[in-house]
Amino acid sequence: MTPEGDLINSSELTSKGRSIIDKTKDRRAGPLLQSKYENKNKKFFPAYGMQQTANKDKHTVQVLEKLGKNITKYNELSEFRQLQVDVTIVEDLLAHPQTELHMNVMGQAREPIALVLNRRLGDYPLKNHIATFERRPEIAEYNSYITNYLAYDLQIQNFDMSNGTSITYQDLVGNSHINIGPVFGSNSSKIDLPTSAPTVDDVSSEL
């Protein structure tokens, strides 16, 4: 994978699109590691930019602390071994049968993303563990990794309540789209939410 991430329509980017690409290039920077847990039916093809993964290692520490692991040992690992741990944590989230996959999410009420979430169902040890991936089919055939962390209960409540929210946005090559689905992020409390939320039993979008 090239450092630019083999963008499909790089020559057709708007000026705003070029700016966003420059700010988020770590997500697509090589070497790029393809996930074992894709969903072809939903066109979910997660991949990890190693530079982006390294930038998010503080979230690995948060998860390891919650699991009661030895953080000192993690810090003593080589950078390569730390990256293996970082990726394994997200891969374990993707692999779990009770992990939900939401392909129609808007991050911060402005960015189209794919979001995976485990609410600590079944034998999954972490509550509200999420991971987010880029959803930009106009520029890439895969979903590059953004971040993972343990969300607060209020964040998940707002996420559930926002399901069905309609947001118009422009993609990176200038096409307008209407996204209908949940919102995750700091701006989700500033938008008009539907009056009722789906229950966990309503969620049928599992990996």
Side-chain angles (χ1 to χ4, degrees):
M1 185 63 67
T2 66
E4 293 76 22
D6 284 343
L7 301 180
I8 296 174
N9 292 323
S10 59
S11 63
E12 301 176 17
L13 293 172
T14 63
S15 58
K16 181 179 179 181
R18 285 192 294 271
S19 175
I20 292 174
I21 287 294
D22 184 62
K23 292 177 181 177
T24 61
K25 59 188 176 183
D26 283 358
R27 300 180 189 174
R28 301 167 219 93
L32 198 71
L33 178 66
Q34 185 176 353
S35 171
K36 295 186 293 184
Y37 301 102
E38 59 186 33
N39 188 319
K40 294 181 180 179
N41 292 333
K42 296 187 177 183
K43 298 181 180 179
F44 180 55
F45 303 102
Y48 305 92
M50 292 297 95
Q51 188 172 346
Q52 174 75 0
T53 306
N55 290 343
K56 300 298 180 179
D57 60 353
K58 66 180 181 180
H59 299 144
T60 297
V61 171
Q62 178 193 31
V63 169
L64 292 176
E65 286 177 337
K66 198 69 174 180
L67 293 173
K69 302 297 183 180
N70 190 319
I71 305 304
T72 300
K73 288 186 177 180
Y74 171 79
N75 291 332
E76 291 173 349
L77 295 174
S78 67
E79 182 179 9
F80 178 75
R81 288 287 294 131
Q82 285 184 349
L83 282 170
Q84 286 183 311
V85 174
D86 301 341
V87 170
T88 296
I89 283 174
V90 184
E91 288 285 273
D92 286 348
L93 172 61
L94 293 175
H96 197 271
Q98 270 73 50
T99 292
E100 305 164 15
L101 169 60
H102 300 268
M103 289 299 296
N104 59 336
V105 179
M106 291 297 285
Q108 314 296 334
R110 66 174 185 268
E111 177 186 17
I113 60 173
L115 182 145
V116 294
L117 161 66
N118 198 301
R119 304 170 190 261
R120 198 164 60 190
L121 298 178
D123 60 352
Y124 197 73
L126 298 168
K127 183 181 181 182
N128 297 340
H129 188 196
I130 70 162
T132 58
F133 295 81
E134 196 171 72
R135 178 167 57 91
R136 294 288 191 180
E138 74 273 18
I139 61 160
E141 295 177 348
Y142 55 89
N143 304 91
S144 49
Y145 170 70
I146 300 174
T147 190
N148 88 98
Y149 60 93
L150 304 179
Y152 295 111
D153 288 340
L154 182 58
Q155 289 177 297
I156 300 302
Q157 291 170 14
N158 286 339
F159 174 77
D160 289 337
M161 286 294 295
S162 70
N163 197 17
T165 301
S166 177
I167 295 178
T168 300
Y169 71 96
Q170 189 178 72
D171 67 22
L172 301 184
V173 296
N175 299 313
S176 292
H177 302 272
I178 298 176
N179 188 88
I180 300 176
V183 178
F184 191 88
S186 60
N187 288 338
S188 61
S189 61
K190 301 176 183 178
I191 60 177
D192 293 328
L193 302 177
T195 56
S196 63
T199 66
V200 173
D201 292 336
D202 293 329
V203 177
S204 59
S205 54
E206 296 178 354
L207 285 174

